[in-house]
Amino acid sequence: MPDGPIPDPNFDALRLHLARLRAERGWSFDELAARAGIGRATLVSLESGRSRATTDGPASQGTLATWWKIATALGVSLGELTRPLYEGTGLDC
């Protein structure tokens, strides 16, 4: 258990990691969305950090099921995909 408050997850780092993994495979948003079985708009929102509904609203942080589908489609574990959330914090996730 950590001593002190638990840091907020770093969703910016997670978004960059997702974009990097998608780019390494040469996949478009459409291709990854289709492989993961999720909507393209959902994927764009998760990776860009922008809301699907409005341009000034907060983006969805996604559900565990959605991130699992993305990880599976990318061929990585859920832990590998979400590692950047707490990287460098001393927490072992």
Side-chain angles (χ1 to χ4, degrees), residues 43-64:
L43 180 60
V44 170
S45 179
L46 292 174
E47 190 175 307
S48 70
R50 291 197 236 9
S51 172
R52 293 185 314 167
T54 65
T55 57
D56 59 346
S60 169
Q61 294 176 344
T63 66
L64 183 58

Side-chain angles (χ1 to χ4, degrees), residues 34-90:
R35 288 174 180 254
I38 63 173
R40 181 187 190 279
T42 297
L43 180 60
V44 170
S45 179
L46 292 174
E47 190 175 307
S48 70
R50 291 197 236 9
S51 172
R52 293 185 314 167
T54 65
T55 57
D56 59 346
S60 169
Q61 294 176 344
T63 66
L64 183 58
T66 299
W67 287 107
W68 180 81
K69 289 177 180 182
I70 293 169
T72 301
L74 290 168
V76 299
S77 70
L78 182 60
E80 166 57 26
L81 179 61
T82 60
R83 175 183 40 81
L85 286 172
Y86 290 99
E87 197 167 55
T89 65

Side-chain angles (χ1 to χ4, degrees), residues 8-58:
D8 289 334
N10 186 346
F11 278 95
D12 289 335
L14 178 58
R15 285 191 260 291
L16 288 172
H17 187 55
L18 173 57
R20 192 173 316 119
L21 290 170
R22 185 177 60 78
E24 285 173 358
R25 286 154 180 78
W27 294 350
S28 66
F29 285 114
D30 290 323
E31 181 153 358
L32 178 52
R35 288 174 180 254
I38 63 173
R40 181 187 190 279
T42 297
L43 180 60
V44 170
S45 179
L46 292 174
E47 190 175 307
S48 70
R50 291 197 236 9
S51 172
R52 293 185 314 167
T54 65
T55 57
D56 59 346

